[in-house]
Amino acid sequence: MENIHIEPTKRSPAIDFDFDSGNFSIAGESYPEDVNKFFGPLISQLKEYLSAAQGATIQFRFDLIYFNSTTAKIVMGLFEILDEAAAAGNTVNILWSFAADDSNMEELGEEFSEDLEHAKFVMTPKE
Amino acid sequence: MDSQTILQLRQEMIREGVLFYYCGYVTEQVLSVLGETVMDKLELDNTERPVARGVFSVFVEQVQNIIRYSAENQEGQVGERPVDLRHCMLAVGRDPAGLYVMSANAIKNRDVERLRSGLVHIHALDRTGLKAMHKEILRGETPTGSKGAGVGFVDIARLASRGFEFHFLALDDELSYFILKAHL
């Protein structure tokens, strides 16, 4: 599967999906005009990769400065499919990086991680 | 509009502590520029970062709601391009206790009760309740097509550290003016 790299814009995050190494990241701002148009193709490729993954080590990093409420639905969906991949026997680490003074982003990370049963979750405050 | 009216408007805005004011049609492109300008203004004023981020987040949710739902709109084609303009008023201002973000837009009278009851419900929730509702909506357990319980309003309620208020004022037989003011 071809790796994905998308440059950030003011309204959409940088995307790095490295299927070869199992390293994934979403970083920056996210309030695109059409959330589904932006994330739809990314999620379907990720799903395809995850459904074929066996005994893989996957690291998914969220390093978001700001995201809107429609992006929040996408993030919630990502947590769900990553947890399913972990349930299927893969090692899945989800990293949630946030500005140390951003209690809202911290709270959202806690909220998204509450339902994880199999994936490992790490929160990292940044100065 | 005559020059005296413009001067009066300016003085009113200053009196109300308005830092930023917009009245007119919005599109996604307008949102990009307005959002950036609001952030720049808050930055130049040395606003605490968490507060500035909160104001920006509320502003984006409000404008995106308006882009989707304002009932005072004009649709058509400009050349090959479909255009959908939605009218609103927006303001970011300062009062003695902090900042506020206000939006106003027309909605259909028949939507008023649904929206009002959704907002009354959200308004009564504490932080734990808001968090639970936020999650319910994100999980798709609440109908998202309903304006009254959109996740955007729950987000605004969470971000409005000093609370939020809403008003519905009748415009005519068809429309009401929906005013939402979030205090941060």
Side-chain angles (χ1 to χ4, degrees):
Chain A
M1 196 172 271
E2 195 148 331
N3 295 334
I4 302 172
H5 171 78
I6 300 174
E7 288 292 319
T9 69
K10 276 179 186 154
R11 297 184 55 169
S12 61
I15 302 291
D16 270 296
F17 282 10
D18 188 331
F19 297 105
D20 302 330
S21 68
N23 282 303
F24 300 86
S25 90
I26 296 183
E29 313 255 354
S30 183
Y31 60 116
E33 181 172 341
D34 188 337
V35 166
N36 294 320
K37 195 170 154 193
F38 183 81
F39 284 104
L42 295 168
I43 289 170
S44 41
Q45 290 210 56
L46 183 66
K47 276 185 175 164
E48 198 184 323
Y49 164 83
L50 292 175
S51 63
Q54 283 183 332
T57 300
I58 295 155
Q59 177 164 290
F60 204 110
R61 182 182 196 87
F62 292 90
D63 193 353
L64 292 160
I65 299 162
Y66 165 71
F67 58 88
N68 68 347
S69 58
T70 43
T71 300
K73 280 189 195 181
I74 300 287
V75 174
M76 178 77 111
L78 286 169
F79 270 65
E80 280 170 14
I81 59 172
L82 289 167
D83 203 43
E84 282 164 21
N90 299 290
T91 303
V92 179
N93 296 309
I94 303 176
L95 310 178
W96 186 265
S97 184
F98 61 96
D101 63 357
D102 195 344
S103 58
N104 183 51
M105 202 54 95
E106 182 175 10
E107 212 174 282
L108 287 165
E110 283 164 4
E111 184 184 325
F112 290 128
S113 66
E114 275 168 5
D115 297 336
L116 295 175
E117 288 178 0
H118 307 278
K120 198 177 158 219
F121 182 72
V122 181
M123 301 241 279
T124 321
K126 290 189 298 184
E127 284 311 316
Chain B
M1 195 188 280
D2 73 53
S3 52
Q4 278 308 310
T5 312
I6 290 171
L7 202 59
Q8 273 166 21
L9 265 177
R10 177 186 149 82
Q11 280 156 353
E12 281 291 307
M13 293 296 163
I14 292 170
R15 205 173 51 79
E16 297 276 348
V18 172
L19 307 171
F20 177 90
Y21 171 70
Y22 180 89
C23 178
Y25 292 101
V26 284
T27 60
E28 288 286 346
Q29 285 83 353
V30 172
L31 168 59
S32 298
V33 181
L34 295 187
E36 197 181 348
T37 310
V38 166
M39 263 321 242
D40 286 348
K41 171 64 180 158
L42 296 172
E43 184 89 9
L44 289 178
D45 288 353
N46 296 315
T47 311
E48 278 177 80
R49 256 198 316 168
V51 177
R53 267 195 296 260
V55 167
F56 176 76
S57 308
V58 170
F59 187 81
V60 171
E61 293 301 330
Q62 285 180 335
V63 177
Q64 288 195 318
N65 265 339
I66 287 161
I67 290 170
R68 290 183 185 101
Y69 300 119
S70 172
E72 199 176 345
N73 69 319
Q74 199 175 353
E75 277 181 88
Q77 288 272 131
V78 177
E80 294 292 298
R81 208 159 42 91
V83 172
D84 185 1
L85 304 174
R86 306 277 175 147
H87 199 274
C88 68
M89 285 171 66
L90 303 163
V92 176
R94 199 185 293 283
D95 59 31
L99 290 158
Y100 63 85
V101 188
M102 190 222 71
S103 66
N105 64 278
I107 63 167
K108 295 257 195 299
N109 286 335
R110 62 165 186 269
D111 292 328
V112 168
E113 275 322 306
R114 191 166 44 125
L115 184 53
R116 190 203 302 275
S117 66
L119 287 169
V120 165
H121 177 73
I122 293 169
H123 197 259
L125 296 173
D126 60 10
R127 284 207 79 75
T128 317
L130 286 170
K131 195 175 156 188
M133 187 175 181
H134 188 251
K135 210 160 166 180
E136 266 171 38
I137 299 175
L138 291 188
R139 279 192 189 131
E141 289 161 7
T142 306
T144 50
S146 109
K147 279 191 217 176
V151 71
F153 290 125
V154 180
D155 248 9
I156 291 170
R158 288 177 68 158
L159 292 159
S161 49
R162 296 191 294 130
F164 71 99
E165 53 185 285
F166 51 92
H167 309 275
F168 297 92
L169 309 174
L171 289 174
D172 55 38
D173 289 347
E174 201 197 341
L175 300 175
S176 287
Y177 220 34
F178 165 48
I179 297 163
L180 182 66
K181 190 172 175 187
H183 302 269
L184 287 96

